[in-house]
Amino acid sequence: MKKIIIAVMSVLIFTLTACGTGNEKDKISEEIGIDISDGSIVYDNDKHSGNGDGTKCVIFEFDNDEVFDKIENNTNWNKLPFDETVETLIYGISNENESIGPYLTDEDGNSMIPKIENGYYFFKDRQADKDKEILDRYSFNFTVAVYDNDNNKMYFCELDT
């Protein structure tokens, strides 16, 4: 009888653990609203610290235009060019009086997403307190994904400060 109970408990624990873990592609697919399971991860860098602050960037390559069709038909994705806020967060802006951003950078201060001319982007503001405009806040919590039509690549990045 003990063996049966132990076997049932083991199966139950395994099932609950497996249901809760999900892989990277599944989590990102859910976040951006399209299935990217056909993509190959070519770069994955997560620099979040123990308190949750940091950056994450994952780059996917796709063999065909199937993901493009999904993006093109999804209302949460926008055709490039970026709006001014997203442009500032990713690449920064500057003029003769000031320079703002970029905020989504690698260790050397370079943008984690290369300049893309032809594509689509997804942006989600995950900040709990949205009383101020994004660029006027003291901290940032956002997700951005950019699909490059010319190279069949997708850049998925998060910033939490």
Side-chain angles (χ1 to χ4, degrees):
M1 182 68 167
K2 282 185 179 181
K3 290 181 182 179
I4 294 173
I5 291 173
I6 291 172
V8 170
M9 293 298 284
S10 297
V11 170
L12 182 60
I13 289 169
F14 175 76
T15 303
L16 291 173
T17 303
C19 290
T21 56
N23 70 36
E24 186 80 1
K25 288 181 187 179
D26 291 341
K27 291 175 186 175
I28 293 173
S29 291
E30 185 175 330
E31 178 75 15
I32 63 176
I34 59 165
D35 178 15
I36 58 167
S37 59
D38 291 341
S40 299
I41 296 175
V42 295
Y43 177 82
D44 189 350
N45 188 354
D46 192 345
K47 296 287 187 181
H48 281 90
S49 64
N51 67 359
D53 288 349
T55 58
K56 174 180 185 154
C57 185
V58 183
I59 302 173
F60 297 90
E61 283 185 346
F62 299 90
D63 291 334
N64 55 45
D65 290 337
E66 186 175 321
V67 74
F68 171 73
D69 296 334
K70 295 173 190 175
I71 290 170
E72 192 174 42
N73 295 311
N74 188 307
T75 59
N76 292 321
W77 285 75
N78 302 293
K79 190 169 179 61
L80 292 176
F82 297 107
D83 67 35
E84 186 176 344
T85 300
V86 176
E87 176 90 18
T88 303
L89 292 168
I90 296 174
Y91 303 121
I93 58 169
S94 61
N95 59 37
E96 51 280 342
N97 299 324
E98 65 181 344
S99 179
I100 303 171
Y103 295 96
L104 194 56
T105 60
D106 62 17
E107 298 83 18
D108 298 325
N110 300 313
S111 176
M112 296 178 99
I113 301 173
K115 290 285 187 179
I116 297 170
E117 299 294 325
N118 185 23
Y120 285 80
Y121 72 98
F122 166 90
F123 181 80
K124 181 177 182 180
D125 180 7
R126 295 181 285 104
Q127 186 79 9
D129 178 14
K130 296 181 182 176
D131 290 342
K132 294 182 178 180
E133 292 295 320
I134 293 173
L135 296 174
D136 293 332
R137 297 178 189 159
Y138 295 108
S139 64
F140 301 105
N141 295 293
F142 65 85
T143 300
V144 64
V146 183
Y147 181 74
D148 181 348
N149 289 7
D150 297 328
N151 296 303
N152 288 339
K153 285 187 179 182
M154 179 184 296
Y155 300 82
F156 171 88
C157 298
E158 295 176 333
L159 176 63
D160 298 294
T161 62

